[in-house]
Amino acid sequence: MKVLAINGSPRPLGNVSNILSDVRDMFEREGIETEFLHIYDYDFTNCNVCMTCEIRGDGRCYDEDDGFNQLLDAMRSADAILIATPTYMNGCPSMLQTFLERAMLVLENGGLPLRGKVGGVFTICGHDGGSLVYNQMTDFLLRNRMLVVGAYPLPIIRSWHSPDYENDREGMKGVKSLVEGMVDALVRLEE
């Protein structure tokens, strides 16, 4: 079993990457492989709704040069997808937003290949917007007909600077609950 963790942060080092390291340890203790993809490694162009993906019908974007299709291939090959992102100005970071916009159109026109995969989300915010971004990412998973795992408490971590996230015990309890739920779902689907 493999979880693809998408780091939606534009920063290589920070809260998201540190929490994802903890999450990898949690999954690996359960024998589940974790692969990371970092949005900051890409330079995506905005979707211009050219509808080439609809014409092609093969689940690929016309732009083969920016790594977008390879990221979609990684999503298709994973058993579960975890999206982790900070909150910027009450929304997700712009590069992640660009990816999600393109991905949704291509995936819809490619037959929703993520259908039935396990999905989960956690967000980090300094002040406001954590629940807005959590809901936006969850909506992306639901629109792809994925089996979205909930958590209690919600995995919305309040932290301004890393490693302050460790001080938000409720948020980190939510992350642990999310990972446990994703593990349970993966095990049940494999039975």
Side-chain angles (χ1 to χ4, degrees):
M1 290 181 279
K2 181 169 83 172
V3 174
L4 176 67
I6 299 174
N7 177 351
S9 176
R11 299 175 60 204
L13 298 173
N15 286 314
V16 175
S17 60
N18 287 333
I19 294 170
L20 281 174
S21 290
D22 295 343
V23 165
R24 176 188 1 219
D25 293 343
M26 291 180 219
F27 279 122
E28 287 182 355
R29 278 194 294 275
E30 300 297 328
I32 297 173
E33 177 188 352
T34 307
E35 177 186 356
F36 289 130
L37 286 175
H38 307 281
I39 291 296
Y40 60 75
D41 285 336
Y42 299 88
D43 189 20
F44 298 129
T45 56
N46 292 326
C47 179
N48 66 2
V49 194
C50 69
M51 301 310 289
T52 302
C53 58
E54 181 180 42
I55 295 165
R56 289 172 63 153
D58 63 357
R60 298 185 73 75
C61 181
Y62 82 96
D63 189 346
E64 294 283 352
D65 299 326
D66 64 359
F68 175 81
N69 286 323
Q70 290 77 13
L71 204 156
L72 288 184
D73 289 342
M75 293 172 80
R76 286 183 195 98
S77 69
D79 300 299
I81 297 168
L82 172 65
I83 303 175
T85 184
T87 300
Y88 284 10
M89 299 301 296
N90 289 333
C92 70
S94 59
M95 274 313 280
L96 180 59
Q97 180 65 33
T98 297
F99 169 73
L100 294 173
E101 288 172 4
R102 279 178 65 186
M104 196 65 243
L105 193 58
V106 172
L107 293 168
E108 283 178 353
N109 286 312
L112 296 172
L114 306 182
R115 179 182 321 140
K117 292 182 183 292
V118 174
V121 172
F122 73 80
T123 64
I124 297 109
C125 61
H127 299 289
D128 299 324
S131 61
L132 293 171
V133 173
Y134 177 85
N135 290 338
Q136 181 185 10
M137 299 303 108
T138 300
D139 182 63
F140 173 81
L141 301 178
L142 289 170
R143 285 181 54 126
N144 277 286
R145 296 185 58 192
M146 295 178 67
L147 305 173
V148 179
V149 174
Y152 182 80
L154 283 177
I156 300 171
I157 301 102
R158 292 204 175 267
S159 176
W160 190 251
H161 299 289
S162 192
D164 291 347
Y165 66 89
E166 295 169 338
N167 297 329
D168 184 357
R169 292 193 174 132
E170 287 298 297
M172 291 307 294
K173 184 178 173 184
V175 170
K176 185 175 186 228
S177 172
L178 174 66
V179 170
E180 290 170 352
M182 290 181 75
V183 169
D184 288 346
L186 286 165
V187 169
R188 287 178 189 211
L189 287 171
E190 189 150 289
E191 291 178 344

